């Protein structure tokens, strides 16, 4: 099964269980889902953003994704079923703090890749950060003592 199918995301969101050996897979799918969806946050999927997503995912997940896989995931039918931030909120509780921070850092890189962050992208960013459950300190990589 391919990460880009988002089958584990869908299963866990609908109440399925997550075995310990599937945690990394969930992180990979959630990372892919968030960054892919970010490319469509402003309703205009830019090639430079898609390329940045592919680069980030390759670096973090050691897996290559095509522009087509990223574009298809950006507009997935899943987002018509539930608000995107609900997926992030529910699923991020099942991954580590470090993985949530990786996703946030990747999101920042994607939004900066086209030279500007619009209102819709900022709104998407805020919803994802809230869904990831990251405090202001943790957003920038600080850890509490």
């Amino acid at each position: 099964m391919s990460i880009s199918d988002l089958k584990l995301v869908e299963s866990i969101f609908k109440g399925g269980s997550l075995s310990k050996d599937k945690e990394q897979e969930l992180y990979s799918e959630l990372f892919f889902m968030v960054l892919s969806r970010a490319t469509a946050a402003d309703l205009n999927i830019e090639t430079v953003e898609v390329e940045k997503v592919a680069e980030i995912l390759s670096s973090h997940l050691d897996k290559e994704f095509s522009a087509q896989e990223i574009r298809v995931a950006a507009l997935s039918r899943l987002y018509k079923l539930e608000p995107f931030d609900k997926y992030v909120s529910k699923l991020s509780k099942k991954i580590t703090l470090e993985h949530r921070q990786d996703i946030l850092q990747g999101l920042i890189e994607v939004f900066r890749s086209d030279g500007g962050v619009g209102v819709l992208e900022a709104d998407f960013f805020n919803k994802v950060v809230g869904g990831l459950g990251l405090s202001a300190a943790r957003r920038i990589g600080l850890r509490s003592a």
Side-chain angles (χ1 to χ4, degrees), residues 7-131:
K7 293 294 184 194
L8 186 59
V9 162
E10 190 172 9
S11 170
I12 300 301
F13 189 78
K14 290 180 177 178
S17 61
L18 181 69
S19 61
K20 196 73 171 162
D21 63 322
K22 294 284 187 180
E23 287 179 21
Q24 180 66 32
E25 187 179 339
L26 179 62
Y27 159 68
S28 297
E29 282 192 23
L30 187 58
F31 204 166
F32 174 78
M33 184 176 93
V34 169
L35 295 193
S36 294
R37 184 65 178 155
T39 65
D42 62 358
L43 309 176
N44 185 23
I45 301 176
E46 297 284 340
T47 300
V48 68
E49 291 174 329
V50 172
E51 291 169 351
K52 180 55 81 173
V53 168
E55 175 188 318
I56 293 166
L57 294 174
S58 175
S59 170
H60 284 272
L61 305 180
D62 260 351
K63 181 165 175 30
E64 301 298 318
F65 294 92
S66 70
Q68 180 179 353
E69 287 175 299
I70 293 166
R71 288 174 186 274
V72 167
L75 303 171
S76 173
R77 65 171 176 74
L78 287 177
Y79 317 133
K80 291 175 178 52
L81 303 174
E82 294 288 340
F84 185 78
D85 52 319
K86 280 191 174 184
Y87 285 102
V88 176
S89 180
K90 183 168 184 172
L91 300 170
S92 68
K93 292 175 180 142
K94 300 184 182 300
I95 63 174
T96 67
L97 170 62
E98 289 76 20
H99 283 158
R100 289 183 281 144
Q101 288 174 318
D102 285 348
I103 292 169
L104 179 62
Q105 185 57 46
L107 184 60
I108 291 168
E109 290 178 42
V110 170
F111 282 157
R112 288 183 172 162
S113 68
D114 67 354
V117 178
V119 173
L120 294 175
E121 289 173 322
D123 184 52
F124 180 87
F125 178 84
N126 289 333
K127 287 179 181 178
V128 170
V129 169

